[in-house]
Amino acid sequence: KRGEPDEFRELAAKCEGEKFEADTAAASANKTENVKFFICTDKGESLLPALEKAAADLEKNDDMSADRKAELLTKIRAKIDELRARG
């Protein structure tokens, strides 16, 4: 969901389950592109399935630049790998 920084802070503060945040930013001569990614699970739910779905959905997303998307996918996949390694 596109939102403002205050919205993300509110979501993070209200999250009772597991949460994951990642961001990426890039500037060009014409604009700055900041992308913040946030997932909050319900209390007691695992973060792993939510991250796997988010990665699959993000791969299909064409609303952001390819380098921003690649950077976010790298961070999401690293967290997925970490969670799988923990069992």
Side-chain angles (χ1 to χ4, degrees), residues 25-34 63-65 68:
S28 68
N30 298 333
K31 66 177 183 171
T32 299
E33 182 181 38
N34 295 312
D63 290 342
M64 71 177 76
S65 65
R68 297 302 95 206

Side-chain angles (χ1 to χ4, degrees), residues 3 5-8 12 23 26-28 39 44-45 47 53 58 63 67 69 78-79 84:
D6 289 341
E7 290 178 74
F8 288 107
D23 58 3
S28 68
I39 289 182
E45 287 189 14
L47 187 58
K53 181 180 182 323
L58 185 57
D63 290 342
D67 56 335
K69 181 164 62 170
K79 185 65 174 180
R84 285 181 179 157

Side-chain angles (χ1 to χ4, degrees), residues 48-87:
L48 183 58
L51 286 172
E52 290 171 333
K53 181 180 182 323
D57 290 347
L58 185 57
E59 286 175 348
K60 299 174 200 169
N61 185 318
D62 293 327
D63 290 342
M64 71 177 76
S65 65
D67 56 335
R68 297 302 95 206
K69 181 164 62 170
E71 187 175 338
L72 281 176
L73 282 169
T74 297
K75 291 176 180 182
I76 294 168
R77 288 181 182 134
K79 185 65 174 180
I80 289 170
D81 291 344
E82 176 189 323
L83 293 172
R84 285 181 179 157
R86 278 198 249 164

Side-chain angles (χ1 to χ4, degrees), residues 4-35:
E4 298 299 322
D6 289 341
E7 290 178 74
F8 288 107
R9 283 192 279 279
E10 283 181 38
L11 287 171
K14 292 179 182 178
C15 181
E16 294 183 4
E18 293 183 73
K19 60 185 162 185
F20 174 78
E21 294 181 55
D23 58 3
T24 177
S28 68
N30 298 333
K31 66 177 183 171
T32 299
E33 182 181 38
N34 295 312
V35 178

